[in-house]
Amino acid sequence: MMPLNFADIGQSQIIRKIGGTAEVKKHLENLGFNVGGEVSIVSTLAGNVIVKVKESRVALSDGLARKIMV
Protein backbone atom coordinates (compact mmCIF):
# COMPACT_ATOMS: atom_id res chain seq x y z
CA MET A 1 0.00 0.00 0.00
CA MET A 2 1.05 3.57 -0.66
CA PRO A 3 -0.55 7.00 -0.35
CA LEU A 4 -2.53 8.11 -3.41
CA ASN A 5 -0.19 11.01 -4.20
CA PHE A 6 2.67 8.50 -4.86
CA ALA A 7 0.68 6.59 -7.52
CA ASP A 8 1.54 6.91 -11.20
CA ILE A 9 -0.40 9.42 -13.31
CA GLY A 10 -3.09 7.81 -15.46
CA GLN A 11 -2.90 4.37 -13.86
CA SER A 12 -6.07 3.03 -12.22
CA GLN A 13 -5.71 2.16 -8.55
CA ILE A 14 -8.01 0.45 -6.04
CA ILE A 15 -8.59 2.25 -2.74
CA ARG A 16 -7.45 -0.06 0.06
CA LYS A 17 -7.85 2.13 3.15
CA ILE A 18 -8.92 5.65 4.10
CA GLY A 19 -7.32 7.19 7.19
CA GLY A 20 -7.94 10.27 9.26
CA THR A 21 -10.62 11.41 11.65
CA ALA A 22 -14.28 10.44 11.28
CA GLU A 23 -14.96 13.88 9.76
CA VAL A 24 -12.23 13.45 7.15
CA LYS A 25 -13.41 9.95 6.26
CA LYS A 26 -17.01 11.17 5.87
CA HIS A 27 -15.88 14.11 3.69
CA LEU A 28 -13.89 11.81 1.39
CA GLU A 29 -16.79 9.36 1.26
CA ASN A 30 -19.11 12.18 0.21
CA LEU A 31 -16.68 13.03 -2.61
CA GLY A 32 -16.88 9.41 -3.83
CA PHE A 33 -13.77 7.86 -2.26
CA ASN A 34 -14.79 4.46 -0.89
CA VAL A 35 -12.70 1.41 0.02
CA GLY A 36 -12.69 -0.92 -2.99
CA GLY A 37 -13.42 1.93 -5.38
CA GLU A 38 -11.32 2.81 -8.40
CA VAL A 39 -9.36 6.05 -8.64
CA SER A 40 -6.70 7.45 -10.97
CA ILE A 41 -4.54 10.56 -10.88
CA VAL A 42 -5.15 13.00 -13.74
CA SER A 43 -2.42 15.51 -12.83
CA THR A 44 -0.30 16.83 -9.97
CA LEU A 45 0.93 20.29 -9.03
CA ALA A 46 3.09 21.03 -5.97
CA GLY A 47 1.91 17.84 -4.23
CA ASN A 48 -1.78 18.56 -4.80
CA VAL A 49 -3.58 16.16 -7.13
CA ILE A 50 -6.53 16.07 -9.49
CA VAL A 51 -8.06 12.61 -9.49
CA LYS A 52 -10.78 10.85 -11.44
CA VAL A 53 -13.22 9.03 -9.22
CA LYS A 54 -16.65 7.74 -10.30
CA GLU A 55 -16.57 9.61 -13.63
CA SER A 56 -15.84 12.92 -11.85
CA ARG A 57 -12.67 14.92 -11.36
CA VAL A 58 -11.84 16.05 -7.85
CA ALA A 59 -8.96 18.22 -6.62
CA LEU A 60 -7.33 17.07 -3.37
CA SER A 61 -4.70 18.71 -1.21
CA ASP A 62 -1.50 16.86 -0.47
CA GLY A 63 -2.72 16.14 3.07
CA LEU A 64 -5.99 14.57 1.96
CA ALA A 65 -4.32 12.55 -0.78
CA ARG A 66 -1.94 11.08 1.82
CA LYS A 67 -4.93 9.73 3.80
CA ILE A 68 -6.08 7.61 0.84
CA MET A 69 -4.09 4.38 0.59
CA VAL A 70 -4.03 2.48 -2.70
Side-chain angles (χ1 to χ4, degrees), residues 45-60:
L45 179 63
N48 301 323
V49 294
I50 297 176
V51 298
K52 181 179 177 194
V53 60
K54 292 189 178 182
E55 304 303 319
S56 298
R57 290 184 180 192
V58 179
L60 293 177

Side-chain angles (χ1 to χ4, degrees), residues 7 9 11 13 15-17 20 22 28-29 32 35-36 38 44-46 53 56 58-59 62 66-70:
I9 294 174
Q11 185 176 353
Q13 302 286 335
I15 299 172
R16 305 281 181 215
K17 180 181 173 187
L28 290 171
E29 183 181 302
V35 174
E38 198 170 301
T44 63
L45 179 63
V53 60
S56 298
V58 179
D62 179 58
R66 288 179 185 272
K67 295 186 184 331
I68 301 169
M69 303 299 284
V70 294

Side-chain angles (χ1 to χ4, degrees), residues 4-26:
L4 177 61
N5 49 347
F6 291 129
D8 293 330
I9 294 174
Q11 185 176 353
S12 289
Q13 302 286 335
I14 302 296
I15 299 172
R16 305 281 181 215
K17 180 181 173 187
I18 298 176
T21 64
E23 273 185 13
V24 170
K25 289 180 182 180
K26 184 66 176 169

